[in-house]
Amino acid sequence: MNRQSSPKPLAGDVAEVVAYHGGDMEAAIGTLLGDIRHLRQQLVLAEGAMSRGMTRGWRPSYDRD
């Protein structure tokens, strides 16, 4: 799998997420996965509300290429 120009999280961002969860890596990952699930649902709703003319044929991608 080729990840083109995917922004890498800053070390401070990772430390902040882990610290927020009291050092519990599983809780941190679980929260981030929940955030991804929520954002995908929001993208589905936005896609359904947008007309194809408004976006000039653009459709969202749910996975990184």
Side-chain angles (χ1 to χ4, degrees), residues 2-65:
N2 184 10
R3 303 236 177 190
Q4 301 172 359
S5 68
S6 295
K8 296 191 186 241
L10 300 173
D13 293 339
V14 173
E16 187 176 331
V17 170
V18 173
Y20 178 83
H21 290 86
D24 185 347
M25 295 293 279
E26 282 191 33
I29 292 169
T31 296
L32 294 172
L33 290 173
D35 288 347
I36 290 168
R37 194 172 308 113
H38 170 75
L39 292 172
R40 284 177 178 247
Q41 290 171 345
Q42 294 295 303
L43 193 54
V44 166
L45 291 173
E47 181 182 14
M50 292 186 304
S51 71
R52 291 190 58 72
M54 181 176 113
T55 61
R56 297 183 183 198
W58 175 84
R59 302 206 40 109
S61 173
Y62 295 91
D63 296 307
R64 292 185 191 178
D65 297 330

